Amino acid sequence: MKPVQFSIPKTQDTSFHVQKDEARNFYERLHQHPEWQITAIHKGEGILFAGNSSTPFQAGDVFMLGSNTPHLLKNSRNSLTELETGVCSISVFFGRESFGKEFFALPELKQVDSYLKKAKRGIMFTGKEKAILFEQLSSFPEKQGLGLLIDLLSMLRFMMNFREQEFINSQYYDADLESRRDERMQKVMQFSIQHLDKEIKLEEVAREANLSVSQFCRYFKLHTRKTYIQYLNELRIEHACSLLRKADLSIAQVSFETGFQNLSHFNRQFLKVKKMTPSAYRKHDHSY
């Protein structure tokens, strides 16, 4: 199962696309598109899955994804009425040829082009300067014409010199190579993400990959250098981090919501992945 191939809408009035998403949930299917994506989260919290990695997100965060990087935003569960919205984001999408085939080959844009290539790893912006970037991007829906284009280029220059930014993936994610090599990994990831709050048996995920359990275990270790259980626990711990930001959820509730059937096992896995206990993480996160 390949990630859903999105087609970003274009108009005759703009060479790139600015989009505001406001709904109960973000789109929870792995998808990709050829455009770069820069997103500011206005409402919602959860996990951003991008390439082969994941990272927590919350309101105020800004991230950038490279061309054709499979991704999805899985927001934490919210108790909403049918009329309420649980998430809101503002994104800008632009492609290599949005401003002309040779635009990013211009000598003046050499550094920008190099930076955009790095975005294939996915970038999460952190630190105090993040608020400036958040405000820049959030103002885009109100602008148009030449001013909007100038502001995009100005924002890219600011991002290049951003002092605190983290790569989401430890290495470049080649979506085309991954797609050609093996599509079943995407199916495994999608299944895992959709069932994070439930018990997942190896027989079930092996069936999704159309392999026997022993074949699946060898296959997964070969492609990720970790066991499936290690991978699943890491996903669940990242999801737990987003839930721990909710003061109304006890640690036991967070454990249950992230698929751990045993609180002591949850505590051990959290300590193993984050090098601190869930209660220490909650205290540390709320101290900022």
Side-chain angles (χ1 to χ4, degrees), residues 15-76:
S15 54
F16 60 98
H17 181 65
V18 177
Q19 178 172 302
K20 181 176 182 179
D21 291 301
E22 198 167 13
R24 287 176 61 82
N25 299 290
F26 288 118
Y27 185 70
E28 290 194 0
R29 287 284 304 277
L30 279 171
H31 61 283
Q32 63 187 43
H33 40 75
E35 293 84 2
W36 284 285
Q37 174 180 342
I38 309 172
T39 294
I41 302 293
H42 279 249
K43 185 179 181 181
E45 55 188 16
I47 315 175
L48 163 65
F49 296 90
N52 284 326
S53 299
S54 60
T55 186
F57 73 85
Q58 62 182 337
D61 281 346
V62 182
F63 62 85
M64 182 177 186
L65 300 176
S67 173
N68 284 321
T69 299
H71 62 280
L72 67 81
L73 290 163
K74 182 177 179 63
N75 56 291
S76 303

Side-chain angles (χ1 to χ4, degrees), residues 76-87:
S76 303
R77 289 184 174 182
N78 293 295
S79 298
L80 302 171
T81 68
E82 291 186 2
L83 299 178
E84 288 182 298
T85 58
V87 299

Side-chain angles (χ1 to χ4, degrees), residues 240-247 251 254 266 270 278 281-282 286:
C241 288
S242 68
L243 293 178
L244 285 169
R245 298 193 180 109
K246 295 175 176 286
I251 291 177
V254 170
F266 168 68
F270 197 99
Y281 180 90
R282 171 173 272 173
H286 287 174

Side-chain angles (χ1 to χ4, degrees), residues 97-134:
E97 297 183 3
S98 290
F99 316 110
K101 291 185 177 181
E102 303 300 324
F103 184 77
F104 287 111
L106 292 172
E108 294 84 355
L109 294 176
K110 183 177 180 180
Q111 288 181 305
V112 175
D113 186 47
S114 177
Y115 182 74
L116 291 176
K117 291 175 181 176
K118 292 179 181 178
K120 279 192 172 185
R121 293 172 63 183
I123 298 172
M124 181 68 76
F125 299 92
T126 61
K128 295 181 179 179
E129 289 183 326
K130 178 179 67 173
I132 301 174
L133 184 57
F134 183 89

Side-chain angles (χ1 to χ4, degrees), residues 252-280:
Q253 287 175 307
V254 170
S255 171
F256 179 77
E257 289 285 338
T258 51
F260 289 96
Q261 306 301 312
N262 182 291
L263 180 57
S264 61
H265 179 56
F266 168 68
N267 287 330
R268 287 196 301 272
Q269 291 301 319
F270 197 99
L271 180 62
K272 183 178 180 180
V273 174
K274 292 298 179 181
K275 311 305 179 187
M276 65 176 73
T277 64
S279 57

Side-chain angles (χ1 to χ4, degrees), residues 14-16 18 38 92 94 99 103-104 109 112 133 136-137 139-140 143-159:
T14 59
S15 54
F16 60 98
V18 177
I38 309 172
V92 58
F94 61 96
F99 316 110
F103 184 77
F104 287 111
L109 294 176
V112 175
L133 184 57
Q136 287 180 327
L137 183 53
S139 69
F140 275 28
K143 300 179 179 181
Q144 57 184 351
L146 180 60
L148 181 57
L149 175 59
I150 291 173
D151 283 350
L152 174 60
L153 293 175
S154 176
M155 186 173 71
L156 286 172
R157 182 175 63 177
F158 180 69
M159 291 164 66

Side-chain angles (χ1 to χ4, degrees), residues 221-235:
K221 187 72 177 288
L222 176 65
H223 286 278
T224 66
R225 297 183 181 178
K226 62 181 70 174
T227 68
Y228 176 73
I229 298 302
Q230 287 176 308
Y231 167 79
L232 181 61
N233 283 338
E234 288 172 5
L235 288 186

